[in-house]
Amino acid sequence: MESSWGGARVGGVPTAATVCVIGAGLSGLAAAHALSARGVDFVCLEKAPDVGGIWRQPGAGERGPAYMSLHLNSAKQLTGYSDFPMPAELPLYPGHRDVADYLRSFAEWAGLLPRVELRTEVVSVRQDDDGAWTVVSRDADGETTRRRFTHVIVGSGHNTEAVLPDPLPAGSESFTGRILHSMDYHDGGDFAGQRVVVVGMGASGVDIAADLSRHAERTDLSVRRGLHVVPKQLFGMSVDLIADAPWWSEMSFPEQRRFVEQALRVARGKLSDYGLPEPDHPVFSSAVTISDEILSRIRHGGVIPRPAIGSLDGDRVTFTDGTEVAADAIVYCTGFRMAFPFLPAGCPAGPRQEAVELYERVVAPDHPGLYFVGLIRPVGSITRLVEAQARWVARIVDGEAPLPSTDAMREEIGTYLKAIEARYGRTESASIQVDVGSYLRELDALQDA
């Protein structure tokens, strides 16, 4: 199907659109709502059969970074959209089904569904000589559509391409059990009665280990490097609600770090007391792991901490301290690589980029008309940040928010990445790290400009 300009299929009839939104999860829906609120014509392309992103995948049985036991790590008050709060009857940390239903309800309430093309995968996004963007998509029947837009907003998330250790431990080819990534993990019940080794201490690692410990015969948690484990609640309050309090924002960064370190000493003590390695870095100089369960499961014997895997042989897993266990499966919770295969080489977050270089974490300075919403990694709820990004992009698209020169945008990116490198090191994942409070203030200032 050929079309000179993009269009959403409303009642089967294409309508003119100037903006293409890629993805109908939390970020894509926020962008669509912001555009709709300003009367901007757009089409939203979503490859899945329904809206909701990773939150609907466990129930739908699709491969993805979510799993049946997935719950919010952030309080519902800060995770719901500002114009459409989460229902009062939901728990403080809703599960994936509740979040998926909520996102679907939001899309219905905001009138976005007629503008969303489901089962439509974006194949390529290319900028033409005249500055417009050609988007090629493919529907469920394999039919391709080529459309042109003045703006493209990427809101499809960044937990897309599974990363396994390269190389895998010596002897992996002889392992008689299953080796899988958290991307392929669905439900702990699938491992009932089995012996499982979970690798990694990030959010998915501790969640999956805790989930498995209620079904598996034995659950070992292999940890190469210590990470700070922060409970979901401190002093009876959700940690992200604490971080949202005015008194927290008034504290300097060293004061905030000292406060959290002292609170963690009281709340959980030393991680080495649980058999876990102590972090080799201060809190907030690397990603933290939010979990109320993992330390309790360790203390109850449901999860057994182990060091890194040294080698495999048949059904035996040998760790670097010389201990070994028999295992039926190894679940690698070793993260994801950002993958936007539809973008051309040279685009921010495109193939083979060492760091994401976006002005205010949103605008591609060398590719006018290309924006990213939700390509950030905050410590806390992402929703308010995504909404602020979306409102700003909608104002840019609508001509109300002029952008600075390309050189000025590059200068801001350089300053940001320099600060990130000093705190986290210069890696692809670190380059999207943001502090909720300060970044939200930046975005609010852009709204007022």
Side-chain angles (χ1 to χ4, degrees), residues 188-196 212 214-219 328:
D190 299 335
F191 298 84
Q194 297 185 28
R195 301 156 299 180
V196 187
L212 279 168
R214 294 177 172 85
H215 302 275
E217 177 184 319
R218 180 188 180 102
T219 304
D328 301 295

Side-chain angles (χ1 to χ4, degrees), residues 11-50:
V13 180
T15 62
T18 58
V19 182
C20 177
V21 178
I22 301 174
L26 186 143
S27 298
L29 292 177
H33 180 46
L35 294 169
S36 178
R38 299 189 70 86
V40 177
D41 291 322
F42 70 93
V43 59
C44 180
L45 306 181
E46 169 56 58
K47 67 180 179 180
D50 203 354

